[in-house]
Amino acid sequence: MPSRNRETWERPPDLPGTHFVDAMAYSDPELFEEEKQRILARAWRFGCHDSELPDPFDFRTIDHAEVPLVMIRGEDGKVRTFYNVCSHRGAKLFNDLSGNARTKTCFFHHWTFDWRGDCVSRPRPQPYEALHLEAEDCGLKEVATDSQYGLIFFNLDDDAGSLTNYLGDALSAFEQTLTEEPVEVFHYHQAEIQANWKQWVESNMDHYHEWMHVMLRRTNVITEETLFHRKAELHSGGHITFRGMEIDYEHEGTIAPREQSKAMPGLTAETFQATPLFPNTVLMTRGTVMRIDTTTPLTPDTSLVEFRGLGLKDDTEEDRMVRIRQHNEFWGPMSHNLPEDLFAAEQCAAGYRSGGAAYGIICREENLSAQDDGGMRHFYAEWSKWMGRSASDPKIITA
Amino acid sequence: MAVDKEDIRDFLNKVADALDGEAWDDFLSMCVPEFEYRVTAFSYELNKDMIWLIHDMDGLRSLFNVLPEQLGRRGTRMLRQISVTDVTQVGADGRVDVTSKVIVVRTSPEGVSELFAAGRYLDVIDVSEDVPKLVRRETQLDTRELGIGSHVPI
Ligand code: FES
Ligand SMILES: [Fe+2]
């Protein structure tokens, strides 16, 4: 294969437009603004898990979703989301990352709000009377909120359709795991990375990178045979499920074998399964433990990734320790795999940001099995629908 | 037996030097065979304590064994600055509890340094023999944003 000059390097690959991505999609500031308006402001996005708001009046703030948000479990058990912004003069209302508050009094002029977002008191309200500014005009801005299988989603669009329609059957592979017994988040960390948000989303769909990981090379857990057990199911709405693959952890002493008794409901201890939800959340499991990634774009070149680890709420101390260890082995901030995956995303980002890389190739075809790039193609087909532009030639508006 | 705080300080500096220098065998030789190492952090998001890494001697050994093959930038260095804040003799068994503040600075191969992590070492040290040895170390992190993370124990 000869090396290329500028002309041949920058010429679009001789592939169908569905099978490659133009560098612009990762780095163009105007496209980035459009993504925020057309996708992030309109899509159902994962906020947190039920177990993060176990009791009435528990709240959880979300600081990076373009608008500051707060999710609150009401006295009626329902979770609602509000702009975390005081309706008086804009102060951030909840400053703690989590907590419990029956009502919330703004620190600034002491307007007080309840869990329905209603303004329930204003100190010395008489001077408002002349201009008829009533307390009922002073409620918080509510944001659409709904949940499925304990996963709580929000949607910044007041006219959003239902979450049920949005997800369709995308979560079916995780239904039993998430519902048969109560599930609990035991790990949370976030990482601000120097990469476009889609570069992290892709890393959970690009299985071709498997051999980058030393633990997978060394232990030979991915074999030609097991690879072909994996199938990508393409759900409508741009969601995907990768499943069918079982990992044999017994090859070498480096990774401890996993006990069947520790498998989460509906899984074996060797199950390796993932469901990327459009646009920015991925659920995955390695049998004994679950992980949820949520990627939020900050700038075209930087993203905030939240990582959650989940086990069973009623875990014995011993079982929880097993899950923690097995979570940390591949997925913790000091694990074998996660720092390698994040490194890869940042290195790819550097290639595109510099203008050096012109296209990304996603044309592997293996009947949606093994290391087929079909997951990424499915994601970009959906991206194109929302954006009205194709990812391979985003300069051209298609809708 | 009285504990010489100066000796404890020297010992912990040697441990930090071994880790900084990636002299893993030296580090392990300063630990007892039943050594336990963990990295912990408190999540204000979950209102929960978390364990981010937990290893015994075997676990650490296999971690160190794969380090040369782990993906990352060669020439990245870590520098652990410690200051001992508390030394408490626990009993007659020759073990002391030692708390130190630790600041970890990471320097890129290009020579750009940045604060990587801040936290505390909660150590149990056996001082009953000629040379002190680590029995237990908990690295309690204040910093929870570690960027792409680290393959190397903090
Ligand atoms: S800004 Fe909140 S009460 Fe005034
Ligand atoms: Fe990976």
Side-chain angles (χ1 to χ4, degrees):
Chain A
M1 244 182 309
S3 65
R4 294 187 267 173
N5 60 23
R6 181 191 278 271
E7 196 235 315
T8 54
W9 176 252
E10 290 180 352
R11 186 191 301 153
D14 191 11
L15 294 167
T18 45
H19 286 52
F20 65 97
V21 180
D22 188 288
M24 223 181 127
Y26 299 115
S27 50
D28 184 79
E30 281 170 35
L31 270 188
F32 178 76
E33 285 307 314
E34 239 180 81
E35 281 179 326
K36 288 210 288 191
Q37 286 158 24
R38 288 181 164 237
I39 300 177
L40 293 145
R42 291 166 54 204
W44 282 97
R45 292 158 64 180
F46 176 70
C48 69
H49 181 261
D50 247 343
S51 65
E52 295 173 62
L53 300 167
D55 300 313
F57 317 120
D58 279 349
F59 68 86
R60 182 86 172 72
T61 55
I62 299 178
D63 270 345
H64 46 263
E66 297 88 63
V67 191
L69 298 175
V70 59
M71 295 187 133
I72 307 173
R73 187 175 298 278
E75 194 162 27
D76 56 359
K78 198 174 152 236
V79 175
R80 293 171 180 77
T81 308
F82 304 97
Y83 283 10
N84 184 13
V85 166
C86 180
S87 54
H88 178 220
R89 291 183 61 202
K92 209 170 142 192
L93 201 51
F94 291 80
N95 291 296
D96 292 339
L97 294 175
S98 66
N100 183 282
R102 179 179 284 267
T103 57
K104 183 66 186 172
T105 301
C106 177
F107 69 90
F108 205 3
H109 312 91
H110 281 217
W111 284 21
T112 297
F113 304 89
D114 70 6
W115 49 271
R116 290 184 204 86
D118 295 347
C119 179
V120 292
S121 88
R122 300 171 297 173
R124 297 191 57 250
Q126 300 77 5
Y128 289 127
E129 281 168 12
L131 291 166
H132 310 291
L133 184 75
E134 307 296 338
E136 51 261 42
D137 302 323
C138 296
L140 300 179
K141 164 72 175 85
E142 190 165 350
V143 170
T145 309
D146 202 354
S147 69
Q148 193 173 99
Y149 307 152
L151 308 175
I152 308 173
F153 293 79
F154 65 89
N155 194 317
L156 295 172
D157 183 358
D158 282 347
D159 301 319
S162 75
L163 176 69
T164 314
N165 272 347
Y166 185 85
L167 292 175
D169 63 350
L171 286 179
S172 55
F174 281 94
E175 178 179 356
Q176 198 181 343
T177 311
L178 287 168
T179 60
E180 194 171 292
E181 290 180 52
V183 163
E184 181 178 69
V185 177
F186 64 76
H187 174 96
Y188 179 95
H189 84 276
Q190 52 186 46
E192 189 176 322
I193 59 168
Q194 308 299 307
N196 181 269
W197 67 282
K198 298 187 294 301
Q199 280 156 334
W200 186 251
V201 170
E202 286 171 11
S203 74
N204 287 316
M205 304 178 190
D206 162 22
H207 293 103
Y208 190 37
H209 84 262
E210 268 153 342
W211 289 295
M212 169 181 78
H213 295 299
V214 56
M215 292 318 281
L216 304 186
R217 290 196 306 274
R218 274 225 176 175
T219 54
N220 209 18
V221 290
I222 310 280
T223 63
E224 274 294 306
E225 193 204 330
T226 58
L227 264 184
F228 282 94
H229 293 159
R230 179 170 55 217
K231 277 270 179 205
E233 296 156 40
L234 309 181
H235 308 282
S236 66
H239 319 302
I240 307 146
T241 295
F242 298 99
R243 62 172 152 179
M245 192 176 199
E246 299 272 309
I247 294 195
D248 178 0
Y249 290 98
E250 308 232 14
H251 273 82
E252 201 190 286
T254 323
I255 299 178
R258 304 191 163 198
E259 285 173 51
Q260 285 318 327
S261 63
K262 305 285 190 265
M264 290 182 69
L267 309 171
T268 72
E270 291 81 23
T271 304
F272 183 67
Q273 171 180 301
T275 295
L277 298 175
F278 188 84
N280 68 333
T281 297
V282 186
L283 281 71
M284 62 190 100
T285 181
R286 279 178 179 271
T288 54
V289 61
M290 259 193 78
R291 161 175 153 195
I292 302 178
D293 287 14
T294 314
T295 312
T296 305
L298 302 177
T299 71
D301 304 326
T302 55
S303 311
L304 188 98
V305 193
E306 295 171 272
F307 299 97
R308 285 172 169 81
L310 299 91
L312 297 179
K313 184 166 177 285
D314 300 325
D315 275 339
T316 60
E317 212 173 299
E318 185 208 321
D319 285 0
R320 178 57 62 87
M321 208 49 154
V322 168
R323 295 194 209 289
I324 288 174
R325 282 175 189 276
Q326 295 182 348
H327 170 274
N328 292 346
E329 194 162 50
F330 291 100
W331 294 343
M334 308 184 68
S335 62
H336 293 295
N337 282 22
L338 190 69
E340 296 188 327
D341 286 320
L342 290 166
F343 176 83
E346 289 199 341
Q347 295 303 306
C348 291
Y352 288 105
R353 194 164 54 232
S354 65
Y359 300 98
I361 293 170
I362 49 171
C363 71
R364 292 177 64 80
E365 294 203 1
E366 303 191 81
N367 288 319
L368 293 179
S369 180
Q371 297 171 329
D372 192 307
D373 288 334
M376 285 187 282
R377 290 194 292 275
H378 191 58
F379 172 86
Y380 279 108
E382 190 68 20
W383 183 91
S384 299
K385 268 191 230 162
W386 288 66
M387 291 292 285
R389 298 167 186 274
S390 88
S392 56
D393 194 358
K395 289 183 288 301
I396 295 173
I397 297 174
T398 57
Chain B
M1 182 183 53
V3 183
D4 186 332
K5 292 190 183 168
E6 206 48 51
D7 288 351
I8 297 282
R9 231 169 261 137
D10 285 353
F11 171 66
L12 288 178
N13 277 317
K14 264 191 213 128
V15 173
D17 284 347
L19 291 171
D20 290 352
E22 308 197 350
W24 310 123
D25 289 342
D26 289 356
F27 169 70
L28 293 175
S29 75
M30 289 186 263
C31 307
V32 299
E34 61 280 11
F35 177 61
E36 190 201 87
Y37 171 81
R38 57 173 76 187
V39 178
T40 60
F42 180 80
S43 165
Y44 284 92
E45 295 86 359
L46 306 177
N47 202 25
K48 275 190 185 126
D49 287 312
M50 301 181 288
I51 299 174
W52 281 7
L53 197 66
I54 177 163
H55 278 305
D56 58 13
M57 211 58 159
D58 283 347
L60 281 173
R61 224 173 258 124
S62 52
L63 180 84
F64 295 145
N65 277 339
V66 294
L67 271 180
E69 292 169 66
Q70 292 268 198
L71 190 58
R73 299 195 68 206
R74 302 296 159 231
T76 303
R77 294 184 61 85
M78 302 272 227
L79 188 139
R80 295 155 181 84
Q81 172 68 46
I82 57 171
S83 75
V84 175
T85 56
D86 188 53
V87 179
T88 313
Q89 183 133 22
V90 192
D93 63 353
R95 295 193 168 183
V96 285
D97 283 354
V98 182
T99 305
S100 321
K101 294 180 191 175
V102 57
I103 298 281
V104 186
V105 174
R106 181 150 73 176
T107 302
S108 73
E110 290 83 5
V112 180
S113 297
E114 57 180 16
L115 177 66
F116 177 65
R120 269 159 299 279
Y121 285 147
L122 309 182
D123 292 328
V124 178
I125 303 173
D126 183 342
V127 292
S128 65
E129 305 289 329
D130 293 347
V131 284
K133 295 222 162 165
L134 270 181
V135 176
R136 188 175 189 278
R137 164 162 286 179
E138 175 175 343
T139 304
Q140 204 177 63
L141 291 176
D142 286 347
T143 306
R144 303 198 302 289
E145 158 65 78
L146 296 177
I148 70 166
S150 168
H151 296 299
V152 177
I154 294 173

